[in-house]
């Protein structure tokens, strides 16, 4: 048996087309949905990723404003830029790209992103709203995992799902989205002990740790579904996930590839969130123009 590969490419394209359609409708009403991406690093892979967002936005008819503050930007400058963008009516979505300059913390800064423009669910207010089931933008990566599971008709209600990783951008919000879908959720992390203690009973394992080869075939049940969120750049420049594909492929029923899995869907969702944010902002600004 070899695991079926759950490619995210077709789903990513479908979501991008939906965002494009939304953008066309908004444009007809005189509004160009626009995403601002704030960058403060000279890290090559970050710039590569930001350019890929810019290209994807362009192909979906969405404006993309890259605000590159350079690797020496101070926390004050970053805070002030985020506040300005939050108040700028021509910007509908804002992402603060990591890594940030040494000594500059993400936690305080993301609080400056207006919740209605927080298309990557970074502001703690967004996570809080998610926790109590109120409308908010979930981090695009967490939502991408759910969209992939839905796309391939993998049931979640009553299923045993293990999430490896508890970060505020992936593991925690994903565990909330899974709970919302009636899964029984276990969250593992660097201090939860041997992975197999949890993963050997899981119907679905989602790994988001940023550790090459962390999840091995011996960790998973025969027939499990494995979603690989990890993105690790090897010394030769190639991109791999957190799953040891060679050993997992023979045991799991299905596995997302890296690249071409969760990441591709994530970018499309950022664009869709931007159009959703633009529509909502237009509706609130002009009462009665729900469109
Ligand atoms: P993070 O470093 O903030 O968090 C990693 C989490 O993994 C932590 O909670 C940690 O406790 C856990 N962990 C680390 N080693 C572990 C181990 N040996 N056993 C169990 N748990 C362990 O990282 P993050 O921002 O959550 O990102 C996780 C991965 O997902 C990274 O590879 C990142 O590049 C990738 N990522 C991908 C996308 C995408 O769109 N595909 C988006 C965001 C992040």
């Amino acid at each position: 048996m070899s695991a079926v590969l759950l490619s995210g490419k077709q789903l990513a394209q479908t979501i991008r087309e939906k965002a494009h359609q939304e953008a066309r409708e908004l444009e007809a009403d005189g509004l160009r949905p626009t995403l601002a991406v704030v960058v403060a690093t000279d890290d090559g892979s970050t710039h590569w990723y930001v350019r890929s967002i810019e290209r994807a936005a362009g192909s979906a008819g969405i404006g993309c404003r890259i605000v590159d503050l350079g690797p020496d930007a101070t926390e004050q400058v970053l805070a002030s830029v985020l506040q300005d963008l939050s108040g700028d009516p021509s910007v509908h979505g804002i992402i603060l790209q990591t890594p940030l300059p040494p000594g500059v913390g993400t936690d305080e800064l993301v609080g400056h992103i207006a919740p209605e423009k927080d298309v990557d669910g970074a502001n703690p207010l967004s996570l809080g709203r998610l926790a109590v089931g109120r409308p908010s933008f979930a981090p695009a990566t967490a939502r991408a995992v759910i969209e992939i599971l839905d796309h391939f008709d993998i049931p979640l209600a009553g299923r045993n799902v293990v999430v490896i990783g508890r970060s505020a951008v992936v593991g925690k919000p994903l565990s909330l989205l899974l709970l919302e879908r009636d899964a029984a959720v276990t969250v593992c992390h660097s201090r939860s002990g041997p992975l197999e203690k949890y993963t050997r009973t899981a119907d679905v394992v989602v790994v988001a740790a940023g550790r090459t080869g962390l999840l091995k075939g011996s960790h998973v049940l025969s027939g499990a579904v494995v979603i690989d969120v990890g993105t690790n750049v090897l010394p030769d420049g190639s991109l791999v996930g957190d799953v040891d594909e060679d050993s997992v492929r023979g045991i799991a029923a299905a596995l997302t590839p890296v690249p071409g899995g969760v990441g591709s869907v994530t970018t499309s969702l950022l664009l869709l969130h931007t159009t959703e944010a633009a529509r909502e902002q237009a509706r609130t600004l002009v009462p009665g123009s729900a469109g």
Side-chain angles (χ1 to χ4, degrees):
M1 187 185 85
S2 185
V4 172
L5 273 191
L6 307 177
S7 168
K9 286 187 178 161
Q10 195 202 330
L11 174 61
Q13 196 183 331
T14 305
I15 296 170
R16 199 171 302 178
E17 278 163 12
K18 190 172 172 198
H20 199 172
Q21 181 56 30
E22 287 279 316
R24 272 193 286 263
E25 287 173 18
L26 289 161
E27 192 112 42
D29 289 341
L31 192 155
R32 181 167 168 79
T34 298
L35 174 67
V37 185
V38 179
V39 196
T41 178
D42 53 10
D43 174 61
S45 61
T46 303
H47 281 275
W48 182 90
Y49 176 60
V50 169
R51 279 195 300 276
S52 76
I53 296 178
E54 192 178 22
R55 272 196 307 275
S59 70
I62 290 168
C64 187
R65 196 184 297 174
I66 312 292
V67 185
D68 188 352
L69 301 171
D72 300 321
T74 62
E75 192 154 336
Q76 288 81 352
V77 167
L78 277 153
S80 139
V81 165
L82 291 171
Q83 284 162 5
D84 288 350
L85 292 169
S86 290
D88 181 342
S90 66
V91 168
H92 308 97
I94 303 169
I95 312 173
L96 174 63
Q97 194 58 48
T98 55
L100 293 172
V104 175
T106 320
D107 294 358
E108 288 291 315
L109 281 176
V110 287
H112 295 293
I113 301 175
E116 68 275 16
K117 299 188 181 185
D118 186 22
V119 289
D120 203 17
N123 187 324
L125 285 174
S126 302
L127 190 60
R129 291 178 71 90
L130 204 62
V132 292
R134 301 270 300 276
S136 74
F137 289 112
T141 306
R143 184 173 167 198
V145 172
I146 302 287
E147 295 285 341
I148 286 180
L149 291 165
D150 283 350
H151 179 73
F152 289 102
D153 291 325
I154 295 159
L156 289 170
R159 305 298 289 280
N160 193 356
V161 182
V162 169
V163 178
I164 304 171
R166 59 173 165 182
S167 74
V169 287
V170 189
K172 275 188 192 136
L174 175 59
S175 66
L176 295 170
L177 292 174
L178 289 163
L179 280 176
E180 193 71 19
R181 298 293 299 276
D182 299 324
V185 186
T186 304
V187 181
C188 300
H189 45 82
S190 49
R191 297 190 165 203
S192 52
L195 282 181
E196 58 270 23
K197 193 168 138 191
Y198 309 98
T199 52
R200 290 280 306 159
T201 55
D203 302 302
V204 178
V205 180
V206 185
V207 56
R211 300 279 182 273
T212 308
L214 177 67
L215 191 81
K216 305 201 183 320
S218 58
H219 290 134
V220 297
L221 269 183
S222 171
V225 173
V226 176
I227 308 291
D228 193 352
V229 179
T231 52
N232 308 291
V233 182
L234 296 182
D236 68 2
S238 58
L239 188 73
V240 296
D242 289 351
V243 170
D244 176 33
E245 279 192 35
D246 287 344
S247 63
V248 169
R249 220 182 279 135
I251 312 275
L255 167 68
T256 57
V258 176
V262 176
S264 45
V265 178
T266 300
T267 307
S268 293
L269 281 172
L270 280 175
L271 303 180
L272 187 63
H273 284 182
T274 302
T275 60
E276 288 169 357
R279 188 175 287 282
E280 184 58 22
Q281 284 157 48
R283 195 185 64 80
T284 354
L285 274 178
V286 188
S289 69

